[in-house]
Amino acid sequence: MPGILYIVSTPIGNLEDITLRALRILKEVDAIASENVNTTLKLLARYEIKKPLISYTEHKWYTSSTPHKLKQQGIIMEKLLNGENIALVSSAGTPLISDPGYELINQSLENNIKVIPIPGVSAAVTALSVSGLATDRFLFEGFLPLKKSKRHKRLLDANASNATMVFYESPYRLVKTLKEMCDCFGGSRKAVIGREMTKLYEETIRGTLDEVIARMEKQAVRGECTIVVEKAPSE
């Protein structure tokens, strides 16, 4: 019988934000596939868990000798087909949300391998929950494309969704992205930035896009950021 693939959510910062079920699964599986081995090791050390780790990152999926095969994915699939249970974790939060993994899920399902979610924290939902913006309908866009023309189109498409919009952004591109949002949405649109969420220096910045930009230009931005933007006015 094949093993089970568990999709295990881990903390986005504060290591106390992990469920009892997630800890039990991490202790019981045969190995853990991790997007960031060093980050996962810190979590495992905190809870005295020792398990073999398999690095599962985008840049390690392909090798020069087998450009069309997923090397690390092949290792995981072999273990699953041999009856081993594997936990997939991302560097932080819920796996597959703007992280690698959906090919592994599809291949597992094609091979009749059971895939079980172990739910937990997600940066997008965490920021949305305290944003004060409408939560009945929201659009998650994740990271925007690097090419300006593609970013601009994505922003305009998102604006047409009639839903609160949620984005991820690097601290190095935050102000630039906010200015592009200002161009597409208008400076009076409400926005919320969740920075260093659940960590020691957690910060939630609220205001219009113009106000948020003015504030962020005056301070050094550190840590991954989640941006929540008000939906377009109904008129």
Side-chain angles (χ1 to χ4, degrees), residues 129-161:
S129 69
V130 297
S131 67
L133 302 177
T135 57
D136 57 327
R137 187 163 182 245
F138 68 93
L139 175 68
F140 175 67
E141 282 288 337
F143 288 97
L144 291 167
L146 294 177
K147 191 173 181 180
K148 185 176 181 179
S149 60
K150 290 184 178 180
R151 283 200 310 274
H152 188 78
K153 184 179 185 305
R154 282 273 292 276
L155 289 171
L156 292 178
D157 288 345
N159 194 44
S161 67

Side-chain angles (χ1 to χ4, degrees), residues 4-15:
I4 299 173
L5 177 62
Y6 293 97
I7 311 304
V8 182
S9 297
T10 55
I12 59 175
N14 192 318
L15 296 184

Side-chain angles (χ1 to χ4, degrees), residues 19 21-22 38 48 60 68 89 138 149 217:
T19 67
R21 187 183 179 204
N38 290 332
E48 299 181 344
K60 288 188 177 180
H68 302 297
V89 300
F138 68 93
S149 60
E217 284 183 321

Side-chain angles (χ1 to χ4, degrees), residues 19-155:
T19 67
L20 295 175
R21 187 183 179 204
L23 289 175
R24 177 176 62 81
I25 293 299
L26 292 176
K27 291 176 181 178
E28 291 178 354
V29 293
D30 297 291
I32 299 171
S34 169
E35 181 198 9
N36 188 319
V37 169
N38 290 332
T39 300
T40 302
L41 281 172
K42 293 177 183 177
L43 175 66
L44 298 182
R46 168 70 178 271
Y47 292 101
E48 299 181 344
I49 300 172
K50 294 183 179 181
K51 290 291 175 179
L53 290 175
I54 305 168
S55 179
Y56 187 65
T57 60
E58 287 184 330
H59 68 277
K60 288 188 177 180
W61 282 0
Y62 297 96
T63 64
S64 57
S65 59
T66 57
H68 302 297
K69 292 183 180 180
L70 300 173
K71 181 182 178 183
Q72 301 306 116
Q73 185 166 308
I75 294 172
I76 297 169
M77 284 303 304
E78 183 179 2
K79 290 180 176 294
L80 288 167
L81 292 171
N82 286 334
E84 295 188 38
N85 294 329
I86 305 291
L88 174 66
V89 300
S90 65
S91 58
T94 301
L96 279 80
I97 307 302
S98 288
D99 289 322
Y102 75 90
E103 292 95 346
L104 177 62
I105 306 300
N106 287 337
Q107 191 174 358
S108 297
L109 296 174
E110 289 171 0
N111 285 276
N112 296 316
I113 293 170
K114 186 180 290 187
V115 180
I116 298 179
I118 310 299
V121 68
S122 167
V125 175
T126 300
L128 181 65
S129 69
V130 297
S131 67
L133 302 177
T135 57
D136 57 327
R137 187 163 182 245
F138 68 93
L139 175 68
F140 175 67
E141 282 288 337
F143 288 97
L144 291 167
L146 294 177
K147 191 173 181 180
K148 185 176 181 179
S149 60
K150 290 184 178 180
R151 283 200 310 274
H152 188 78
K153 184 179 185 305
R154 282 273 292 276
L155 289 171

